[in-house]
């Protein structure tokens, strides 16, 4: 006798039996046991780096995972830089897979909710989880880092030439950080009413 067994599309093993009868009576049985299909999960890339202005630039990264099982994305863990939270978005939150005999690519999009304007990089991580053929929970960790914005300063001029009769003179300061302007002399002052940009605080004299 030849027993033709179909592919096991699940992660669990299965069993059945062949009953041998003589007349109406059972004289023997043959057990048919099929091994489970092992879980296979491959993450070619497990770390990503975003630029400091990734939100402004609509920067999106794609996490590709090849598997023969369903996947789940865990909550984002901000413990690497706990003072920076809530800036990473991962979607979707999971992917369903029904046939364990066939692997397919699952794609998840990573994006940031804000630019990193700080002087230090910030990092977060999340787990890609699945259940293996033994019923145990397995996971791989993905690390995401965003580079710091860095300090930027642009002055329209570094020298103001003033006439002997005095007067008003303008210059511009452009920066991605809060600034304080001070003076070291009592014969000129900074006109606070002329400041139109937020985040710059004039101080007449140190």
């Amino acid at each position: 006798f030849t027993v033709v067994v179909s592919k096991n599309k699940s992660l669990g093993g299965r069993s059945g039996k062949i009953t041998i009868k003589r007349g109406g009576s059972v004289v023997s049985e043959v057990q048919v046991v099929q091994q489970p299909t092992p879980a296979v999960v491959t993450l070619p890339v497990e770390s990503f780096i975003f630029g400091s202005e990734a939100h402004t630039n609509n920067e999106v990264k794609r996490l590709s995972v090849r598997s023969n099982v369903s996947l789940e994305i865990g909550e984002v863990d901000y413990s690497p830089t706990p003072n920076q939270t809530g800036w990473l978005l991962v979607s979707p939150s999971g992917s369903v897979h029904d046939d364990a005999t066939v692997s397919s690519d699952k794609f998840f999009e990573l994006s940031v909710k804000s630019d990193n304007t700080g002087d230090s990089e910030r990092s977060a991580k999340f787990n890609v989880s699945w259940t293996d053929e033994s019923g145990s929970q397995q996971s791989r960790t993905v690390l995401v880092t965003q580079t710091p914005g860095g300090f930027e300063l642009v002055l329209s001029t570094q020298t103001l030439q003033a006439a002997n009769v005095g007067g008003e003179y303008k210059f511009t300061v452009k920066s991605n950080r809060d600034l304080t302007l001070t003076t070291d002399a009592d014969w000129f002052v900074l006109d606070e009413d002329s400041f139109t940009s937020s985040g710059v605080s004039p101080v007449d004299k140190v």
Side-chain angles (χ1 to χ4, degrees), residues 5 7 35 38 40-41 45 50 77 111 119 121 126 129 145 155 166 174:
V5 181
K7 291 181 179 180
Q35 296 295 319
V40 179
V41 178
V45 179
F50 282 95
D77 177 7
S111 59
D119 293 324
E121 69 177 22
F126 61 90
S129 303
T145 301
L155 302 177
K174 294 182 180 180

PDB file of all heavy atoms in Angstrom, residues 5 7 35 38 40-41 45 50 77 111 119 121 126 129 145 155 166 174:
ATOM      1  N   VAL A   5       0.624  11.533   1.417  1.00  0.00           N
ATOM      2  CA  VAL A   5       0.418  12.543   2.467  1.00  0.00           C
ATOM      3  C   VAL A   5       0.556  13.941   1.868  1.00  0.00           C
ATOM      4  O   VAL A   5       1.537  14.231   1.182  1.00  0.00           O
ATOM      5  CB  VAL A   5       1.436  12.347   3.616  1.00  0.00           C
ATOM      6  CG1 VAL A   5       1.201  13.375   4.711  1.00  0.00           C
ATOM      7  CG2 VAL A   5       1.317  10.925   4.173  1.00  0.00           C
ATOM      8  N   LYS A   7       0.952  18.170   1.970  1.00  0.00           N
ATOM      9  CA  LYS A   7       1.818  19.080   2.729  1.00  0.00           C
ATOM     10  C   LYS A   7       1.120  19.568   3.993  1.00  0.00           C
ATOM     11  O   LYS A   7      -0.084  19.817   3.996  1.00  0.00           O
ATOM     12  CB  LYS A   7       2.199  20.285   1.872  1.00  0.00           C
ATOM     13  CG  LYS A   7       3.130  19.965   0.712  1.00  0.00           C
ATOM     14  CD  LYS A   7       3.471  21.245  -0.061  1.00  0.00           C
ATOM     15  CE  LYS A   7       4.424  20.942  -1.196  1.00  0.00           C
ATOM     16  NZ  LYS A   7       4.770  22.163  -1.971  1.00  0.00           N
ATOM     17  N   GLN A  35       5.312  15.422  10.630  1.00  0.00           N
ATOM     18  CA  GLN A  35       6.073  16.428  11.346  1.00  0.00           C
ATOM     19  C   GLN A  35       5.522  17.832  11.060  1.00  0.00           C
ATOM     20  O   GLN A  35       4.972  18.085   9.984  1.00  0.00           O
ATOM     21  CB  GLN A  35       7.549  16.372  10.930  1.00  0.00           C
ATOM     22  CG  GLN A  35       8.240  15.079  11.289  1.00  0.00           C
ATOM     23  CD  GLN A  35       8.328  14.886  12.784  1.00  0.00           C
ATOM     24  OE1 GLN A  35       8.602  15.827  13.527  1.00  0.00           O
ATOM     25  NE2 GLN A  35       8.067  13.663  13.243  1.00  0.00           N
ATOM     26  N   PRO A  38       8.568  23.758  10.065  1.00  0.00           N
ATOM     27  CA  PRO A  38       9.285  24.693  10.942  1.00  0.00           C
ATOM     28  C   PRO A  38       9.063  26.145  10.526  1.00  0.00           C
ATOM     29  O   PRO A  38       8.904  26.466   9.348  1.00  0.00           O
ATOM     30  CB  PRO A  38      10.750  24.287  10.767  1.00  0.00           C
ATOM     31  CG  PRO A  38      10.803  23.625   9.427  1.00  0.00           C
ATOM     32  CD  PRO A  38       9.486  22.947   9.243  1.00  0.00           C
ATOM     33  N   VAL A  40      10.169  29.784   9.662  1.00  0.00           N
ATOM     34  CA  VAL A  40      11.357  30.393   9.061  1.00  0.00           C
ATOM     35  C   VAL A  40      11.101  31.901   8.933  1.00  0.00           C
ATOM     36  O   VAL A  40      10.151  32.314   8.270  1.00  0.00           O
ATOM     37  CB  VAL A  40      11.667  29.797   7.679  1.00  0.00           C
ATOM     38  CG1 VAL A  40      12.890  30.486   7.080  1.00  0.00           C
ATOM     39  CG2 VAL A  40      11.887  28.296   7.786  1.00  0.00           C
ATOM     40  N   VAL A  41      11.947  32.693   9.579  1.00  0.00           N
ATOM     41  CA  VAL A  41      11.805  34.153   9.543  1.00  0.00           C
ATOM     42  C   VAL A  41      13.177  34.750   9.243  1.00  0.00           C
ATOM     43  O   VAL A  41      14.160  34.440   9.917  1.00  0.00           O
ATOM     44  CB  VAL A  41      11.267  34.712  10.877  1.00  0.00           C
ATOM     45  CG1 VAL A  41      11.176  36.228  10.823  1.00  0.00           C
ATOM     46  CG2 VAL A  41       9.905  34.106  11.199  1.00  0.00           C
ATOM     47  N   VAL A  45      17.729  43.224   7.223  1.00  0.00           N
ATOM     48  CA  VAL A  45      18.221  44.454   7.860  1.00  0.00           C
ATOM     49  C   VAL A  45      17.547  44.597   9.216  1.00  0.00           C
ATOM     50  O   VAL A  45      16.323  44.493   9.326  1.00  0.00           O
ATOM     51  CB  VAL A  45      17.921  45.696   6.989  1.00  0.00           C
ATOM     52  CG1 VAL A  45      18.419  46.957   7.686  1.00  0.00           C
ATOM     53  CG2 VAL A  45      18.564  45.558   5.617  1.00  0.00           C
ATOM     54  N   PHE A  50      17.624  57.380  10.347  1.00  0.00           N
ATOM     55  CA  PHE A  50      16.918  58.494   9.737  1.00  0.00           C
ATOM     56  C   PHE A  50      17.752  59.761   9.873  1.00  0.00           C
ATOM     57  O   PHE A  50      18.469  59.944  10.857  1.00  0.00           O
ATOM     58  CB  PHE A  50      15.569  58.724  10.422  1.00  0.00           C
ATOM     59  CG  PHE A  50      14.493  57.763  10.002  1.00  0.00           C
ATOM     60  CD1 PHE A  50      14.239  56.623  10.734  1.00  0.00           C
ATOM     61  CD2 PHE A  50      13.719  58.010   8.879  1.00  0.00           C
ATOM     62  CE1 PHE A  50      13.239  55.737  10.357  1.00  0.00           C
ATOM     63  CE2 PHE A  50      12.724  57.136   8.482  1.00  0.00           C
ATOM     64  CZ  PHE A  50      12.480  55.997   9.228  1.00  0.00           C
ATOM     65  N   ASP A  77       9.944  50.723  21.933  1.00  0.00           N
ATOM     66  CA  ASP A  77      10.651  50.879  23.203  1.00  0.00           C
ATOM     67  C   ASP A  77      11.633  52.044  23.067  1.00  0.00           C
ATOM     68  O   ASP A  77      12.564  51.990  22.263  1.00  0.00           O
ATOM     69  CB  ASP A  77      11.393  49.586  23.533  1.00  0.00           C
ATOM     70  CG  ASP A  77      12.216  49.672  24.809  1.00  0.00           C
ATOM     71  OD1 ASP A  77      12.125  50.698  25.524  1.00  0.00           O
ATOM     72  OD2 ASP A  77      12.978  48.725  25.084  1.00  0.00           O
ATOM     73  N   SER A 111       8.572  55.489   9.861  1.00  0.00           N
ATOM     74  CA  SER A 111       8.655  56.935   9.649  1.00  0.00           C
ATOM     75  C   SER A 111       8.763  57.622  11.003  1.00  0.00           C
ATOM     76  O   SER A 111       8.504  57.010  12.049  1.00  0.00           O
ATOM     77  CB  SER A 111       7.433  57.455   8.882  1.00  0.00           C
ATOM     78  OG  SER A 111       6.235  57.169   9.580  1.00  0.00           O
ATOM     79  N   ASP A 119      20.849  68.137  19.981  1.00  0.00           N
ATOM     80  CA  ASP A 119      22.266  68.023  19.673  1.00  0.00           C
ATOM     81  C   ASP A 119      22.766  66.583  19.714  1.00  0.00           C
ATOM     82  O   ASP A 119      23.923  66.318  19.404  1.00  0.00           O
ATOM     83  CB  ASP A 119      23.092  68.861  20.656  1.00  0.00           C
ATOM     84  CG  ASP A 119      22.839  70.350  20.485  1.00  0.00           C
ATOM     85  OD1 ASP A 119      22.644  70.786  19.340  1.00  0.00           O
ATOM     86  OD2 ASP A 119      22.806  71.065  21.502  1.00  0.00           O
ATOM     87  N   GLU A 121      21.889  62.236  18.962  1.00  0.00           N
ATOM     88  CA  GLU A 121      21.036  61.299  18.252  1.00  0.00           C
ATOM     89  C   GLU A 121      20.053  60.662  19.222  1.00  0.00           C
ATOM     90  O   GLU A 121      20.272  60.642  20.431  1.00  0.00           O
ATOM     91  CB  GLU A 121      21.874  60.218  17.569  1.00  0.00           C
ATOM     92  CG  GLU A 121      22.543  59.250  18.517  1.00  0.00           C
ATOM     93  CD  GLU A 121      23.303  58.161  17.781  1.00  0.00           C
ATOM     94  OE1 GLU A 121      23.658  58.359  16.610  1.00  0.00           O
ATOM     95  OE2 GLU A 121      23.541  57.098  18.393  1.00  0.00           O
ATOM     96  N   PHE A 126      12.070  48.075  18.483  1.00  0.00           N
ATOM     97  CA  PHE A 126      10.823  47.312  18.570  1.00  0.00           C
ATOM     98  C   PHE A 126      11.106  45.874  18.162  1.00  0.00           C
ATOM     99  O   PHE A 126      12.101  45.581  17.490  1.00  0.00           O
ATOM    100  CB  PHE A 126       9.720  47.927  17.700  1.00  0.00           C
ATOM    101  CG  PHE A 126      10.043  47.964  16.229  1.00  0.00           C
ATOM    102  CD1 PHE A 126       9.700  46.901  15.406  1.00  0.00           C
ATOM    103  CD2 PHE A 126      10.690  49.058  15.674  1.00  0.00           C
ATOM    104  CE1 PHE A 126       9.993  46.930  14.052  1.00  0.00           C
ATOM    105  CE2 PHE A 126      10.988  49.096  14.320  1.00  0.00           C
ATOM    106  CZ  PHE A 126      10.637  48.028  13.504  1.00  0.00           C
ATOM    107  N   SER A 129       7.735  39.727  16.251  1.00  0.00           N
ATOM    108  CA  SER A 129       7.495  38.481  16.987  1.00  0.00           C
ATOM    109  C   SER A 129       6.676  37.494  16.167  1.00  0.00           C
ATOM    110  O   SER A 129       5.908  37.878  15.285  1.00  0.00           O
ATOM    111  CB  SER A 129       6.764  38.780  18.301  1.00  0.00           C
ATOM    112  OG  SER A 129       7.494  39.692  19.091  1.00  0.00           O
ATOM    113  N   THR A 145      17.572  54.655  14.618  1.00  0.00           N
ATOM    114  CA  THR A 145      18.296  55.814  15.136  1.00  0.00           C
ATOM    115  C   THR A 145      18.029  57.022  14.244  1.00  0.00           C
ATOM    116  O   THR A 145      17.941  56.894  13.027  1.00  0.00           O
ATOM    117  CB  THR A 145      19.808  55.538  15.187  1.00  0.00           C
ATOM    118  OG1 THR A 145      20.046  54.394  16.022  1.00  0.00           O
ATOM    119  CG2 THR A 145      20.566  56.736  15.742  1.00  0.00           C
ATOM    120  N   LEU A 155      24.829  84.352   9.773  1.00  0.00           N
ATOM    121  CA  LEU A 155      24.737  85.788  10.011  1.00  0.00           C
ATOM    122  C   LEU A 155      24.787  86.520   8.681  1.00  0.00           C
ATOM    123  O   LEU A 155      25.556  86.158   7.787  1.00  0.00           O
ATOM    124  CB  LEU A 155      25.897  86.271  10.893  1.00  0.00           C
ATOM    125  CG  LEU A 155      26.044  85.618  12.277  1.00  0.00           C
ATOM    126  CD1 LEU A 155      27.282  86.175  12.980  1.00  0.00           C
ATOM    127  CD2 LEU A 155      24.812  85.842  13.122  1.00  0.00           C
ATOM    128  N   GLY A 166      25.681 108.188  14.146  1.00  0.00           N
ATOM    129  CA  GLY A 166      24.787 107.183  14.712  1.00  0.00           C
ATOM    130  C   GLY A 166      23.716 106.758  13.725  1.00  0.00           C
ATOM    131  O   GLY A 166      23.776 107.064  12.534  1.00  0.00           O
ATOM    132  N   LYS A 174      20.146  83.677  11.591  1.00  0.00           N
ATOM    133  CA  LYS A 174      19.353  82.483  11.336  1.00  0.00           C
ATOM    134  C   LYS A 174      20.000  81.302  12.046  1.00  0.00           C
ATOM    135  O   LYS A 174      21.199  81.078  11.921  1.00  0.00           O
ATOM    136  CB  LYS A 174      19.263  82.198   9.838  1.00  0.00           C
ATOM    137  CG  LYS A 174      18.489  83.239   9.053  1.00  0.00           C
ATOM    138  CD  LYS A 174      18.394  82.849   7.582  1.00  0.00           C
ATOM    139  CE  LYS A 174      17.609  83.893   6.788  1.00  0.00           C
ATOM    140  NZ  LYS A 174      17.518  83.514   5.355  1.00  0.00           N
TER     141      LYS A 174
END
